[in-house]
Amino acid sequence: MVPAVATLAAAWSLIPFALWWSGADIRYFESAWNEWLLGTSVAALIAAVLLLALRRRLTAGIDAAWSRMLALPPWTFTGWCAGILAVLAVLMCLAVFAGNPRNIDGFAQLFQARVLLAGRFWVPPPAELANFATLQMILGPDRWYAQYPPGQALVLAAGLAMGAWWALNPLLAMLLVLFTVKVARWCGDESSARLAPLLMCVSPFVVAMAGSEMSHLAAATLGMGAAAAATGAGGRRAGLAAGLAGAALGGMVAFRPLDAVAAAAPVALIVLLAAPRRVRAFALVAAGGVLATIPTLWFNARTTGAWLEFGYTALWGPQHSLGFHPVPWGIPLTPLRAVALTGLDLHQLNTYLFDLPLPILAVIAVGLVSGRRGLGPRDAVPALGAVALSGLLFFYFHRDVFYGPRFLFSAVPWVVILVSRALVLMRRAGREMLPGLSWGIAGVTVVMSAFVVGFVTLTPTRLATYRDATPGFDLHPDRDAERAGIGHAVVVIPDGWGTRLIARSWA
């Protein structure tokens, strides 16, 4: 079943449905196809030269290096990887993003963070909405607040209280690595658990999100934290583990409610496989989830006026919800358009996850199919974790790209686990093509060469684009004003006609 799902996802990502049913430009796909064709050819050529020239010495050297890595104590190795990702997140934030938020969603949540620091849930709206309003804000007769649940605003508020909005990002990045390794070890083996954090550290998508102001990092951390806790549902403290898993899912609702629903699927499967007393375990997960969701519902009541009404619905109306129906903006969602948007998500995952010059979902499919005899029941968990969010987003009308397919970021740790598992299985599989050289070893060598090619040719351009695309976001008017001795000021900035017209319509 798992190889079949992986193969379907790979095929879905490679067939350009968006050309026919979503109005995408053929040049968007042609650029990726040309990149994959050239990059894969170069990687295959490099791998062939290395294997033919070195053969046994190359494989023996790689195996020896991997054995030394496996010999390191688990916590030492994981701790180093977690620390490296934390440092990379800070470097991304300061060196590439200039220490500033880069997305309008983040601006709104940073505004909400300042409101929370003032001890309030909302503030009175400005007298002149046309000059102060921005997107993703609710501007009622007496309330001004962001449309989002409170989780990320609390994280940003804590960071501001510590001196920088990004202060908690390194901690969240470290926790994401620790939880992912624990889950990968439970689902697979030690080799898969060691490879997964390495892959996270070389993923530009992961590093960029970890250095950003967006809610995806915290949501993914809580989702993997719930899965990591659930793996203990069969241990000595099974009740506590189940309760913590539910609490993490409930906390996730405060960041990305739809992601929390998707994250519950792999957690439920882990409990099903791990817990000897399943009914009790599921009850404790549910209880923990309900209790941890209450603060978010209370926040809703204090802002929108209804416990179950999130800010999204208050701002955009009931058609913001899942389903095939008219939408608040853009093209209405239809089943064919949903197929196209999902395919576009998967295509972008191929493109952005590792900056590889070959489609990573195809690598997963090849690895899991070639090593299918080594798969066990627990391998279904990361597969479910990877597809659950895509399954829900199939019924959602909106997409955008922010360092990658950001709506899928909570599923990225599961995809990373699948990649690590696929490469480990691929290495062990395959018949000999030459003495001492199997097809599996050749395949892994091609993928390793592709990582090098991508890191040298694609990643620098990607990072330069992130740094240079929006020079206005490199400015720090607050610091400039402080240096000039200005204590009270209104900063006037130019804005596009789209935002200005919306603001004036609201006014």
Side-chain angles (χ1 to χ4, degrees):
M1 184 65 179
V2 172
V5 171
T7 302
L8 175 62
W12 203 333
S13 73
L14 295 175
I15 300 173
F17 294 111
L19 287 180
W20 313 312
W21 302 327
S22 184
D25 192 330
I26 182 67
R27 290 171 294 183
Y28 179 77
F29 289 95
E30 286 178 341
S31 175
W33 294 336
N34 292 334
E35 193 173 88
W36 291 341
L37 179 61
L38 178 61
T40 301
S41 300
V42 172
L45 180 60
I46 293 173
V49 171
L50 290 174
L51 290 169
L52 291 175
L54 302 175
R55 199 177 306 178
R56 293 182 186 274
R57 284 181 293 169
L58 178 65
T59 56
I62 294 174
D63 289 344
W66 190 252
S67 296
R68 285 194 292 270
M69 192 176 295
L70 289 176
L72 292 173
W75 277 104
T76 300
F77 178 80
T78 304
W80 273 105
C81 291
I84 290 171
L85 183 59
V87 171
L88 291 174
V90 174
L91 290 175
M92 177 66 72
C93 178
L94 299 182
V96 179
F97 299 153
N100 276 335
R102 297 267 164 163
N103 187 283
I104 193 168
D105 297 14
F107 302 158
Q109 293 183 87
L110 194 59
F111 174 91
Q112 187 66 35
R114 296 185 183 279
V115 172
L116 295 177
L117 284 175
R120 306 190 61 165
F121 292 98
W122 47 269
V123 292
E128 295 290 339
L129 296 188
N131 294 322
F132 289 92
T134 185
L135 294 179
Q136 323 304 37
M137 292 287 196
I138 296 170
L139 288 151
D142 58 350
R143 298 182 182 185
W144 186 15
Y145 60 99
Q147 69 168 357
Y148 300 99
Q152 185 63 12
L154 287 170
V155 169
L156 295 173
L160 289 174
M162 297 168 63
W165 60 264
W166 49 264
L168 290 184
N169 281 18
L171 175 61
L172 292 172
M174 294 179 72
L175 290 174
L176 180 60
V177 170
L178 297 178
F179 294 149
T180 302
V181 170
K182 182 175 177 60
V183 174
R185 183 175 290 118
W186 186 88
C187 292
D189 55 17
E190 189 61 29
S191 291
S192 302
R194 296 294 175 102
L195 185 55
L198 292 176
L199 293 174
M200 297 185 80
C201 290
V202 299
S203 168
F205 188 24
V206 171
V207 174
M209 275 299 181
S212 79
E213 77 283 3
M214 303 293 280
S215 62
H216 302 78
L217 174 64
T221 301
L222 284 169
M224 294 309 293
T231 62
R236 290 182 300 172
R237 299 181 178 179
L240 177 62
L244 288 175
L249 291 175
M252 197 175 174
V253 173
F255 292 86
R256 305 192 66 80
L258 188 66
D259 294 31
V261 176
V267 168
L269 184 54
I270 291 173
V271 171
L272 191 66
L273 294 173
R277 301 173 61 185
R278 294 171 179 170
V279 174
R280 176 177 179 270
F282 279 120
L284 290 171
V285 170
V290 169
L291 291 175
T293 304
I294 289 175
T296 301
L297 302 183
W298 181 65
F299 176 84
N300 289 345
R302 297 297 302 272
T303 51
T304 67
W307 286 69
L308 298 180
E309 183 178 36
F310 286 86
Y312 314 109
T313 306
L315 180 60
W316 301 107
Q319 292 180 334
H320 191 269
S321 59
L322 301 180
F324 304 123
H325 49 59
V327 297
W329 71 87
I331 302 172
L333 188 66
T334 64
L336 290 181
R337 182 169 171 79
V339 170
L341 292 178
T342 301
L344 196 58
D345 283 343
L346 299 177
H347 170 83
Q348 291 165 351
L349 201 61
N350 282 333
T351 304
Y352 289 95
L353 182 56
F354 294 115
D355 280 349
L356 275 187
L358 52 80
I360 193 60
L361 294 181
V363 173
I364 294 174
V366 170
L368 295 181
V369 169
S370 62
R372 59 190 177 278
R373 294 181 181 177
L375 295 173
R378 293 183 178 184
D379 285 297
V381 173
L384 179 59
V387 303
L389 186 54
S390 289
L392 289 176
L393 289 173
F394 185 86
F395 301 98
Y396 187 56
F397 73 98
H398 177 58
R399 298 291 197 283
D400 61 40
V401 178
F402 192 63
Y403 313 132
R406 68 179 182 91
F407 286 102
L408 290 182
F409 188 78
S410 293
V412 162
W414 295 111
V415 176
V416 168
I417 292 174
L418 286 176
V419 175
S420 63
R421 186 73 171 132
L423 291 175
V424 168
L425 291 173
M426 188 188 300
R427 167 63 180 82
R428 299 169 182 169
R431 297 178 179 177
E432 280 196 342
M433 53 189 295
L434 291 171
L437 178 61
S438 69
W439 285 105
I441 293 174
V444 169
T445 307
V446 171
V447 175
M448 291 174 59
S449 301
F451 269 96
V452 175
V453 171
F455 185 77
V456 172
T457 62
L458 301 178
T459 300
T461 303
R462 183 87 64 199
L463 296 180
T465 300
Y466 293 159
R467 185 193 63 228
D468 301 333
T470 50
F473 291 164
D474 293 340
L475 303 177
H476 292 272
D478 51 342
R479 299 178 191 174
D480 297 338
E482 184 178 359
R483 281 195 295 267
I486 300 173
H488 299 281
V490 174
V491 179
V492 181
I493 62 171
D495 202 357
W497 272 109
T499 302
R500 291 160 70 182
L501 288 173
I502 291 174
R504 293 176 185 185
S505 294
W506 282 345

